[in-house]
């Protein structure tokens, strides 16, 4: 049965382990991961065009002016945005698209595309989040402090998402998100083709 592609939003405070869980989901399922644009500097181990498109503030503003971003937001003093064209093209081809975006961007996407599936990934506790952010060792103390401050506001937004998944363990969190995707595909509202065929 042909079904419209899913647009899956995964949000959660920085340090929740989103990237690791997303990598595990991508290993199991065929999804297009939307590579965002950002004005933040590249971290060690990151690759331009793979983890992000690392661009200047001027270029980012140009993309906004051209309406080339599906959504964008400022986070901890830097800009982040989803390039519109690749995501729309993949969905038009029937490929599910996964967005790893923060809460302001998620709100914009849900407002424009009410069929999007939104998942909030949360660390098991506040202490654990702080521990993970520090252990990552990639950010300055100032940046860690800013991220923790931002995380408080993000956790308040969690209740506006469709699903809440606790990342206590990577494979367990990925199991839950895959189960969510399977469930979403069974929604009668996504099965128009079945009803028109019978
Ligand atoms: P980081 O700097 O740790 O890679 O990402 C910081 C935050 O920005 C994360 O919560 C991540 O989900 C979010 N983010 C990454 N790409 C985008 C994007 O394209 N749009 C928005 N709104 N947030 C993004």
């Amino acid at each position: 049965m042909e079904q419209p592609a899913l647009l899956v939003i995964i949000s959660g405070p920085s340090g929740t382990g989103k990237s690791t869980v997303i990598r595990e989901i991508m290993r199991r399922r065929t999804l297009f991961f939307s590579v965002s644009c950002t004005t933040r500097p590249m971290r060690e181990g990151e690759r331009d065009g793979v983890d992000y498109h690392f661009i200047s503030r001027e270029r980012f503003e140009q993309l906004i002016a051209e309406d080339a971003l599906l959504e964008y937001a400022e986070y901890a003093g830097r800009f982040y945005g989803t390039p519109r064209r690749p995501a729309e093209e993949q969905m038009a081809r029937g490929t599910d698209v996964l967005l790893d975006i923060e809460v302001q961007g998620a709100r914009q996407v849900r407002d424009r595309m009410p069929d999007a599936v939104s998942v909030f990934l949360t660390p098991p506790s506040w202490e654990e989040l702080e521990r993970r952010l520090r252990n990552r060792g990639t950010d300055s103390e100032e940046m860690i402090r800013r991220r923790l401050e931002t995380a408080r506001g993000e956790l308040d937004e969690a209740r506006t998402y469709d699903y809440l998944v606790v990342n206590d363990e990577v494979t367990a969190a990925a199991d839950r998100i895959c189960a969510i995707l399977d469930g979403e595909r069974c929604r009668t509202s996504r099965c128009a083709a079945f009803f028109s065929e019978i």
Side-chain angles (χ1 to χ4, degrees):
M1 171 177 59
E2 274 216 6
Q3 287 191 300
L6 295 178
L7 180 59
V8 185
I9 302 170
I10 300 191
S11 297
S14 172
T16 305
K18 252 179 312 174
S19 312
T20 319
V21 172
I22 288 174
R23 220 173 296 133
E24 179 60 22
I25 297 166
M26 303 289 296
R27 217 174 51 76
R28 301 183 192 182
R29 301 293 172 98
T30 309
L31 290 153
F32 172 78
F33 177 75
S34 163
V35 178
S36 297
C37 296
T38 185
T39 61
R40 85 147 159 76
M42 205 186 292
R43 289 194 193 118
E44 210 180 306
E46 285 183 329
R47 281 170 300 164
D48 189 23
V50 176
D51 299 289
Y52 281 105
H53 300 291
F54 294 95
I55 62 174
S56 66
R57 176 78 183 252
E58 292 67 37
R59 177 73 187 126
F60 199 96
E61 281 167 1
Q62 201 182 344
L63 293 177
I64 296 173
E66 291 167 1
D67 197 27
L69 300 176
L70 194 60
E71 60 71 37
Y72 68 92
E74 191 179 347
Y75 178 95
R78 307 286 183 177
F79 283 92
Y80 294 82
T82 304
R84 178 191 298 282
R85 186 123 52 90
E88 287 182 350
E89 281 176 1
Q90 292 291 332
M91 287 191 64
R93 254 184 252 162
T95 306
D96 299 333
V97 170
L98 197 156
L99 309 181
D100 167 357
I101 59 177
E102 53 66 70
V103 295
Q104 305 165 67
R107 206 172 259 280
Q108 295 169 39
V109 175
R110 281 179 297 158
D111 285 349
R112 280 173 214 163
M113 298 153 128
D115 281 346
V117 182
S118 57
V119 179
F120 193 91
L121 193 65
T122 177
S125 66
W126 188 256
E127 292 70 32
E128 178 61 16
L129 176 65
E130 192 162 349
R131 196 186 65 75
R132 288 184 195 176
L133 272 177
R134 293 193 188 286
N135 282 1
R136 192 154 71 172
T138 49
D139 293 309
S140 64
E141 184 57 33
E142 160 67 8
M143 192 47 95
I144 292 171
R145 201 188 52 73
R146 258 176 114 158
R147 281 171 187 263
L148 281 170
E149 218 167 83
T150 309
R152 288 235 178 251
E154 288 176 322
L155 287 173
D156 284 344
E157 281 273 324
R159 66 184 71 246
T160 66
Y161 283 65
D162 297 320
Y163 298 96
L164 181 77
V165 171
V166 178
N167 183 19
D168 42 7
E169 206 269 315
V170 174
T171 49
D175 285 348
R176 290 178 201 125
I177 295 176
C178 287
I180 289 169
L181 301 183
D182 292 341
E184 283 292 329
R185 285 197 192 90
C186 296
R187 274 187 188 274
T188 49
S189 59
R190 300 193 197 275
C191 297
F194 171 83
F195 294 108
S196 62
E197 279 160 22
I198 56 169

